[in-house]
Amino acid sequence: MPASMTLPDLASATANSGVRSSALANWQATGWPGPRVESWRFTKLALLEGKTFAPAHDFADQPAGAGMDAAESIGAHVLRFVNGVVDPSDIENAPEGVNISALAADEDAMSHLRQMVPPAHPVSDLSLAVMSAGIIIDIKGRVDMPLMLSFEGDGATTSAHPVVFVRLFEGSYLQLAEWHASTAGLSAPLTGIDIAAGARLEQVKVQTDGQATTHLAATGVTLGAGASIDGFSLSTGGRLARLETHVCFAGEGADCNLSAIYMGRGEQHQDITTYMDHAVPNCTSNQIIRGVLDDRSRGVYQGRVHVAPDAQKTDGQQMARALLLSRKAEVDAKPELEIYADDVVCAHGATVGELDATQLFYLTSRGIPKDVARAMLIEAFLIDTIETISNETLAAILRPVAQAWMAEQETL
Amino acid sequence: MAATTETIEQVKEATGTYKYGFVTDIESDKAPKGLNEDIVRFISARKEEPEWMLEWRLKAYRRWLTMESPDWAKLDIPPIDYQDSYYYSAPKTVKKLDSLDEVDPELLATYEKLGIPLNEQKRLANVAVDAVFDSVSVATTFREELSKAGVIFCPISEAIRDYPELVQRYMGLVVPVGDNYFAALNSAVFTDGSFVYIPKGVRCPMELSTYFRINEQNTGQFERTLIIAEDEAYVSYLEGCTAPQRDENQLHAAVVELVAMTDAEIKYSTVQNWYPGDENGKGGIYNFVTKRGVCRGDRAKISWTQVETGSAITWKYPSCVLRGKDSVGEFYSVALTNNHQQADTGTKMIHIGEGSRSTIISKGISAGLSQNCYRGLVHMQPTAENARNFTQCDSLLIGDKCGAHTVPYIVSRNPSAKIEHEATTSRISEDQMFYCLQRGIGEEDAVSLIVNGFCKEVMKELPMEFVVEAQKLIGISLEGSVG
C-alpha cells in the first residue's frame, strides 16, 4: 500500500478479537489495492490518498433524507443509518417475520459473511474491522411489507462502515430497498445476502451519494437450491462509486437477475463489478447493464461469469451497453467468461457508442427540439432495463431518480 | 552475474568443453549453455553483425534482466530456467535418411492424412530429395522474380548486413526492446527470421509463403521477422508449416513487426502446429510470441489470420496499432487445444486514427483437459473519431474436463467510436451430431466437420492453398477427443 494512502482511524477497532481482529490485521497488511491489482485496474483509489477518516460510532440524528420519502411512498419499514450507525429505535418495531439482531456478537455469522466476498477484499476487511453498525436481519416466511435500508450522513472526514447481513430462511420472501444519500467522505457498506432454498428476494439499490463521496460497496450473495434474487442497482451519486457484487450459486435450480444502470457526469467515476460463481449445475444468471456518461465522467463495467467443472446446464448471460454523451467521457468494460463445463449456454455482449445520429435526425425532423430528442433517446436506452424489474413497487422508487438525472441533463 | 559464473563453472565441470571458450568446432556450431552478455556478443559475432546491432542486443539483454515474466495470462507456466538452454545453435547437419521407410510410421500416417505430396513428405522428414526439389535452385528462381519487382526478401541477418539503414529505422519501432519480457529476450538473442521490404506501389508477385516453407525450415527458437510495405504496396505472408514438427525444443519466443504505409496492405497468416506434447502433457513447445503491426499511413490495412493447433503453451496476441486515418485492422483466429494444451491468445486493436476500423473474429475450441482463453483489448483513443470495432468470440467445448475463457478489455475514450462485442460459449449440439451420424458419417469425422463449420469464417481468410491442409489439421488435432 502506498504510504501516502492514510488509513481511517482504526483506534476503535484494535480492541476486537476473532473475525474482526483478523480482518483488521488483513487490512493493515494489504490496505487499499495498489495500481497493479487486476480487479481494480480501471478504478484507482488515488482520491483516498492522504485522507484520514474518522468512523462514526454513535447515532446522531439528522433531518430525514430522500430515502425516507421513498420509503414512505411504498409503505416500507425503514432501518435508518446515519454515517453508518443504525437508529436504535428502528430495530425494535420490525414487521412480523423480520428479526433483527447484533452481528458483532455472532462470530459464526461474521465469519460466514466474510467468506461471501473474495478473501482479502479491502472493503470487507476494513468495514468488518471498524464496523460502524453491524446487524443481522433474519427473514422467515413471506414478508409483504418492503424493508428499506436508508443510508445518510455527512462530514468530509467521516467514514461509514455499515455491515448488514440479510438471511432469508427457507421459502421466505422479502422486498428490500437500499437507499444511499450520504455526503460522508467515505461510504463503505458491506452487505451479505444469504438466500436459503426456495426463498426469493426482490431488491433495488439506489446510490445517490454526494458529489464528493467515495462509495465503495461490497455485496456477497449466496443462493440455495431453487432460490432466486431479482436485483437492480441505480448508481448516479458519489465522486467515485464502485458497486461490487459477488454471487455464489450454492444449490441447484437457483436463479439470479442482477441488472444495473450507472449514470455519470462532471468528474464522476462509476464502477459496476459483478462476479457470478456458478458452482453447481442448473442455475441461471442474467445481467443487463446500461451506462450513460457525460462531461468528463468515466464508467466501468467488469463482469465475470465463472462456471465450475460440474456446473452443467448453466445459463449465464451478460449484456452491457454504454452511451457516451461527451467528448471527454470514457468507458471501460471487461465482460469475462470463465467456463469449465461443456453443456452450458453462456454469452456476453458489450457495446459502446454515442446517440444514433439517424435516430436523432428522425426526431428533430419531426419538429422535436434537439435537447428533448436527446433526452427521449437516453430514456429509451435506459427504460427497457428498468422494465425488467419484476416488482412494480420497487421499480416505482427507482424511476424518479433516473428521471431527475435526465431532467437535470436537459437544463444543463 | 553470480548465476552466470556458476553456469560457466557447471558447464566446465560437466562437459569439460569450456576450455575451448567460444571457439566452436564446425560440426556442432553451438554456444555454451546459458545466457549472459558474452552469449549475446557471441551470437552477434557469429552473425557478423555491425556494432550498432550488438549494442541494440545488449541494451535489450540488460533490459530483460530487469523484467519479470508476465503472470497475468490464464496459463500455468512451469518455471523456465533460462540458463539451461542453448541460445545459439546453427542448423544441425542431421543425418539424411535414405528412404521414407526409415521414418517414424506415426509421422508418415499424419502426413498422409494431411495430403502432403510425397516429395514434400520426404523433405519434411529429412529424407534426401532429388534434384528437382532442390530448394536452392527453387529459391534462386523465386529470388530473381522478386528482385525484378524490387521486393527484398531475405533472412534478417542478411538484411542487417545489406540494408542496415532500413533495419535500423524499423526494427524495434513496433515492438520496442523493452516491450515485454519475451520480446526483450528475443531482441537480445534472436538468431533467425525474415526481412521483407515491398517498395512503393509494388504488389508482391507471389505469396511469400512458398519460399518460406522451403528455405526457412529450420528456424531457430528466437525468430525475428520484419515486414515493411511502402505506400500502396501489398504483400501476403504465410508463416509456419502445416505439417507437424517433431521438435522437442522447449522455448520459442518470436517477434514479428509489421509496418504498413499509406494505402499499403499486409496480410499475415500463420498456421502453427508446433509439437503440443503427448497426451499426458509431457513435452511440447512453449510458444511466447509478440506480433504487432502498425498502420502508419492513411487507409493502410493489416490483417492477421492464425490457426493455432500446436504448442503446449501459447501466449500470443497479434495486434494492430491503427494510426492512419481510415486504417483497417483485422484479426481472424482459430485456436484449438486438446489434451493438456494451454492457449491464451487474442489481439489488441489500438485505434488512434480517425475512421479506423477493426474486426476481430476468434474461434476457440477446447477438448480433452485443455484450457483455451481469448484475451483481447479494443482501445479507442480520443482521436479515434468515428472509429469502429466489431468483435465476435465464440468458444466450443468438447468434453467436460476442459475450459474455455473469454477476457475482453474494452476502453473507449471517444463518443463517436462504436464498439460491439459479443461472445458465446457452447458445445457441439446433439442434433448436429445426430444429423451427421445418421447419414453414416463416423463420429470423429462428424466432429471434424462440425468444428470446421464453426471455424469457417476464419478459414476463408487463409490463402487458398492452405485451407485444405488447415482443415485436415483440425481433424487430426481433435483425434481422440470424442468417444
Side-chain angles (χ1 to χ4, degrees):
Chain A
M1 180 180 54
S4 56
M5 237 179 231
T6 323
L7 327 173
D9 179 3
L10 298 168
S12 60
T14 47
N16 297 319
S17 59
V19 174
R20 293 184 66 194
S21 81
S22 125
L24 177 67
N26 220 342
W27 202 86
Q28 283 173 323
T30 51
W32 296 120
R36 295 189 70 92
V37 177
E38 176 66 23
S39 57
W40 292 81
R41 176 189 189 92
F42 295 121
T43 299
K44 305 277 183 250
L45 296 176
L47 272 175
L48 297 176
E49 250 177 72
K51 283 193 181 157
T52 311
F53 298 108
H57 285 284
D58 298 310
F59 183 76
D61 206 3
Q62 284 189 339
M68 301 302 280
D69 299 340
E72 200 175 329
S73 72
I74 57 168
H77 176 77
V78 185
L79 283 175
R80 192 158 163 246
F81 295 77
V82 174
N83 283 329
V85 185
V86 70
D87 183 343
S89 63
D90 291 337
I91 292 179
E92 283 145 24
N93 49 6
E96 205 186 321
V98 180
N99 181 50
I100 301 172
S101 55
L103 178 65
D106 193 335
E107 277 287 318
D108 291 344
M110 281 195 292
S111 165
H112 183 186
L113 171 57
R114 196 173 174 210
Q115 282 159 21
M116 291 169 80
V117 293
H121 192 284
V123 175
S124 112
D125 281 343
L126 176 61
S127 288
L128 269 173
V130 271
M131 204 146 89
S132 45
I135 57 168
I136 298 175
I137 305 175
D138 285 332
I139 307 297
K140 284 183 181 142
R142 187 184 170 90
V143 178
D144 282 319
M145 181 184 264
L147 200 60
M148 165 76 90
L149 308 175
S150 178
F151 299 87
E152 299 157 27
D154 57 7
T157 56
T158 309
S159 66
H161 303 273
V163 181
V164 179
F165 193 6
V166 184
R167 299 191 294 204
L168 280 85
F169 283 66
E170 229 177 281
S172 61
Y173 168 80
L174 177 70
Q175 307 167 69
L176 180 69
E178 222 184 292
W179 194 290
H180 295 265
S182 167
T183 56
L186 171 67
S187 176
L190 170 65
T191 313
I193 299 176
D194 186 5
I195 308 175
R200 175 170 174 80
L201 177 69
E202 289 164 2
Q203 179 231 8
V204 293
K205 169 169 177 167
V206 177
Q207 191 278 111
T208 59
D209 279 351
Q211 295 295 312
T213 301
T214 298
H215 181 100
L216 299 174
T219 304
V221 178
T222 306
L223 290 158
S228 65
I229 178 169
D230 202 340
F232 196 97
S233 298
L234 174 63
S235 184
T236 66
R239 168 68 180 78
L240 181 151
R242 173 165 164 129
L243 274 51
E244 188 177 329
T245 311
H246 296 261
V247 179
C248 178
F249 294 84
E252 289 192 35
D255 176 39
C256 173
N257 278 300
L258 206 64
S259 296
I261 289 177
Y262 59 86
M263 301 162 105
R265 63 162 64 104
E267 299 274 324
Q268 278 182 303
H269 180 113
Q270 295 283 358
D271 177 338
I272 304 285
T273 294
T274 64
Y275 182 81
M276 293 284 170
D277 182 9
H278 283 272
V280 296
N282 291 310
C283 295
T284 58
S285 68
N286 189 21
Q287 298 174 71
I288 302 172
I289 313 293
R290 294 280 189 277
V292 179
L293 298 160
D294 202 355
D295 305 329
R296 306 175 65 88
S297 65
R298 188 170 171 197
V300 175
Y301 169 63
Q302 304 184 97
R304 183 193 281 192
V305 175
H306 174 270
V307 179
D310 297 320
Q312 302 293 4
K313 306 278 178 199
T314 290
D315 183 345
Q317 308 285 332
Q318 272 177 328
M319 183 67 212
R321 295 177 62 190
L323 201 55
L324 295 175
L325 300 177
S326 127
R327 294 213 53 88
K328 300 283 183 197
E330 172 175 345
V331 68
D332 307 308
K334 189 183 167 202
E336 251 182 285
L337 297 176
E338 189 179 6
I339 295 165
Y340 297 93
D342 63 337
D343 190 9
V344 299
V345 182
C346 286
H348 67 217
T351 67
V352 182
E354 59 184 348
L355 287 174
D356 189 331
T358 54
Q359 291 175 358
L360 210 53
F361 175 76
Y362 180 92
L363 293 174
T364 49
S365 71
R366 272 151 187 81
I368 296 167
K370 200 167 177 185
D371 52 345
V372 177
R374 278 170 64 94
M376 285 168 80
L377 290 174
I378 298 168
E379 191 171 342
F381 174 77
L382 299 174
I383 203 83
D384 62 331
T385 318
I386 299 181
E387 297 293 306
T388 62
I389 303 173
S390 58
N391 186 315
E392 192 40 48
T393 312
L394 296 177
I397 61 167
L398 257 166
R399 259 188 223 106
V401 181
Q403 277 157 0
W405 192 91
M406 282 184 283
E408 218 175 300
Q409 190 72 12
E410 277 172 66
T411 59
L412 285 175
Chain B
M1 264 333 260
T4 312
T5 325
E6 200 178 82
T7 311
I8 293 170
E9 289 299 326
Q10 280 169 358
V11 171
K12 208 190 284 184
E13 277 170 22
T15 63
T17 55
Y18 191 69
K19 61 184 177 221
Y20 300 111
F22 292 126
V23 186
T24 49
D25 59 62
I26 291 146
E27 264 194 348
S28 63
D29 194 6
K30 232 181 228 178
K33 228 179 204 182
L35 183 55
N36 54 50
E37 287 202 6
D38 287 337
I39 295 285
V40 175
R41 286 200 174 86
F42 176 84
I43 294 168
S44 190
R46 277 280 132 176
K47 294 269 159 196
E48 293 166 30
E49 286 175 354
E51 187 62 25
W52 60 265
M53 195 66 235
L54 174 63
E55 284 308 316
W56 197 81
R57 283 177 183 274
L58 287 172
K59 195 175 117 197
Y61 175 71
R62 285 166 199 151
R63 189 67 191 270
W64 179 74
L65 287 177
T66 66
M67 298 171 93
E68 274 175 32
S69 184
D71 61 355
W72 39 260
K74 225 177 254 311
L75 297 173
D76 180 15
I77 307 172
I80 298 166
D81 183 358
Y82 291 92
Q83 300 300 343
D84 190 33
S85 24
Y86 293 103
Y87 288 85
Y88 182 82
S89 145
K92 280 175 278 178
T93 342
V94 183
K95 184 180 160 276
K96 289 273 179 195
L97 305 173
D98 292 329
S99 79
L100 277 176
D101 298 340
E102 296 174 34
V103 178
D104 179 3
E106 202 189 319
L107 200 58
L108 283 183
T110 313
Y111 290 163
E112 197 71 37
K113 282 179 205 149
L114 280 170
I116 291 173
L118 201 63
N119 265 333
E120 202 168 327
Q121 285 191 28
K122 286 183 180 171
R123 186 180 57 75
L124 290 167
N126 195 32
V127 174
V129 287
D130 51 38
V132 182
F133 211 74
D134 182 356
S135 57
V136 177
S137 60
V138 176
T140 319
T141 328
F142 282 145
R143 198 171 272 213
E144 267 168 27
E145 203 179 324
L146 286 173
S147 63
K148 236 183 270 169
V151 172
I152 302 170
F153 182 35
C154 61
I156 194 104
S157 42
E158 221 173 287
I160 291 166
R161 282 201 307 271
D162 301 345
Y163 311 99
E165 68 294 339
L166 280 176
V167 176
Q168 258 179 306
R169 195 187 323 160
Y170 291 109
M171 190 146 67
L173 184 81
V174 190
V175 181
V177 290
D179 187 80
N180 66 68
Y181 188 74
F182 300 115
L185 177 64
N186 172 289
S187 303
V189 300
F190 71 90
T191 46
D192 219 322
S194 308
F195 175 78
V196 180
Y197 178 82
I198 317 286
K200 189 176 171 182
V202 172
R203 201 182 155 84
C204 188
M206 67 189 77
E207 302 256 353
L208 291 183
S209 54
T210 321
Y211 179 92
F212 190 74
R213 270 159 61 99
I214 291 169
N215 280 280
E216 302 290 320
Q217 249 264 57
N218 282 318
T219 46
Q221 302 175 68
F222 302 98
E223 311 152 41
R224 182 128 197 150
T225 300
L226 176 58
I227 301 177
I228 301 145
E230 290 285 7
D231 296 358
E232 293 154 50
Y234 169 84
V235 61
S236 169
Y237 186 94
L238 187 126
E239 168 207 71
C241 188
T242 53
Q245 299 273 321
R246 286 303 170 104
D247 199 334
E248 297 284 341
N249 279 351
Q250 285 299 297
L251 181 65
H252 173 86
V255 171
V256 176
E257 296 176 282
L258 312 182
V259 181
M261 301 300 194
T262 307
D263 288 307
E265 179 176 350
I266 302 175
K267 188 172 164 60
Y268 194 105
S269 314
T270 308
V271 177
Q272 186 264 110
N273 187 31
W274 296 100
Y275 184 49
D278 66 10
E279 59 274 18
N280 300 316
K282 197 169 173 296
I285 301 284
Y286 298 165
N287 195 26
F288 303 121
V289 179
T290 307
K291 291 185 169 178
R292 195 175 304 149
V294 57
C295 289
R296 295 191 96 191
D298 296 350
R299 295 168 303 280
K301 178 176 175 182
I302 288 178
S303 179
W304 298 100
T305 306
Q306 62 172 25
V307 175
E308 302 278 324
T309 60
S311 296
I313 298 176
T314 302
W315 180 99
K316 181 180 175 189
Y317 314 92
S319 307
C320 298
V321 180
L322 303 169
R323 273 184 32 187
K325 194 178 160 195
D326 296 321
S327 55
V328 178
E330 292 176 338
F331 176 75
Y332 298 97
S333 166
V334 169
L336 188 155
T337 53
N338 197 356
N339 298 322
H340 288 266
Q341 279 178 278
Q342 302 177 60
D344 194 295
T345 182
T347 184
K348 283 184 186 182
M349 292 290 174
I350 314 292
H351 289 258
I352 302 169
E354 202 180 304
S356 52
R357 303 192 303 278
S358 64
T359 307
I360 300 170
I361 308 285
S362 165
K363 306 281 180 179
I365 302 126
S366 348
L369 298 162
S370 67
Q371 299 296 330
N372 196 329
C373 178
Y374 166 83
R375 185 182 300 275
L377 167 70
V378 176
H379 191 134
M380 298 289 182
Q381 298 208 346
T383 47
E385 203 65 25
N386 292 314
R388 192 85 177 74
N389 162 266
F390 174 74
T391 304
Q392 188 180 338
C393 300
D394 295 322
S395 303
L396 193 66
L397 290 143
I398 301 174
D400 58 1
K401 298 278 183 285
C402 49
H405 319 299
T406 315
V407 190
Y409 293 76
I410 299 166
V411 175
S412 180
R413 300 179 62 197
N414 186 308
S416 64
K418 277 198 172 58
I419 304 175
E420 286 174 83
H421 171 100
E422 56 185 59
T424 63
T425 303
S426 54
R427 65 168 183 172
I428 295 176
S429 79
E430 279 160 21
D431 292 354
Q432 287 169 324
M433 280 305 277
F434 178 73
Y435 185 92
C436 294
L437 294 177
Q438 61 115 322
R439 273 159 184 77
I441 300 169
E443 197 169 24
E444 280 199 340
D445 287 340
V447 169
S448 170
L449 186 73
I450 294 164
V451 171
N452 270 302
F454 175 75
C455 304
K456 204 174 148 197
E457 281 167 281
V458 174
M459 290 300 200
K460 72 176 173 29
E461 298 297 325
L462 278 176
M464 200 181 50
E465 51 178 316
F466 290 100
V467 177
V468 179
E469 280 183 40
Q471 282 174 347
K472 287 180 179 162
L473 191 58
I474 283 179
I476 291 170
S477 304
L478 282 171
E479 267 175 16
S481 63
V482 286

Coordinates of all heavy atoms in Angstrom, one line a residue, chain B residues 32 53 93 187 282 300 310 400 463:
Chain B
P32 N 28.0 -22.1 -25.7 CA 27.8 -22.8 -24.4 C 26.4 -22.5 -23.9 O 25.8 -21.5 -24.2 CB 28.9 -22.3 -23.5 CG 29.8 -21.5 -24.3 CD 29.1 -21.1 -25.6
M53 N 24.2 -3.1 -34.0 CA 23.3 -4.3 -33.7 C 23.6 -4.9 -32.4 O 22.8 -5.3 -31.6 CB 23.4 -5.3 -34.9 CG 22.3 -6.3 -34.9 SD 20.7 -5.5 -35.3 CE 19.8 -6.1 -33.9
T93 N 23.6 -30.5 -38.8 CA 23.6 -31.4 -40.0 C 23.1 -32.7 -39.6 O 23.8 -33.5 -39.0 CB 25.0 -31.5 -40.5 OG1 25.8 -30.5 -40.0 CG2 25.1 -31.5 -42.0
S187 N 14.9 -9.9 -28.5 CA 15.7 -8.8 -29.1 C 17.2 -9.1 -28.7 O 18.1 -8.7 -29.5 CB 15.3 -7.5 -28.5 OG 13.9 -7.2 -28.8
K282 N 3.3 -34.3 -21.6 CA 4.7 -34.3 -21.4 C 5.3 -33.7 -22.7 O 5.0 -34.0 -23.8 CB 5.2 -35.7 -21.3 CG 6.6 -35.8 -20.7 CD 6.9 -37.3 -20.3 CE 8.4 -37.4 -19.9 NZ 9.3 -37.2 -21.0
A300 N -4.2 2.3 -44.6 CA -3.3 1.2 -44.5 C -4.1 0.0 -43.9 O -5.1 0.3 -43.2 CB -2.1 1.4 -43.7
G310 N -1.1 -26.2 -32.4 CA 0.1 -26.8 -31.7 C 0.5 -26.1 -30.4 O -0.2 -25.3 -29.9
D400 N -16.1 -32.5 -20.9 CA -16.4 -31.7 -19.7 C -15.2 -31.5 -18.8 O -15.3 -31.1 -17.6 CB -17.6 -32.3 -18.9 CG -17.3 -33.8 -18.5 OD1 -16.2 -34.2 -18.8 OD2 -18.2 -34.4 -17.9
P463 N -4.9 -18.1 -47.1 CA -4.6 -18.3 -48.6 C -5.2 -19.7 -49.0 O -5.0 -20.6 -48.2 CB -3.1 -18.2 -48.6 CG -2.7 -17.5 -47.4 CD -3.7 -17.8 -46.4

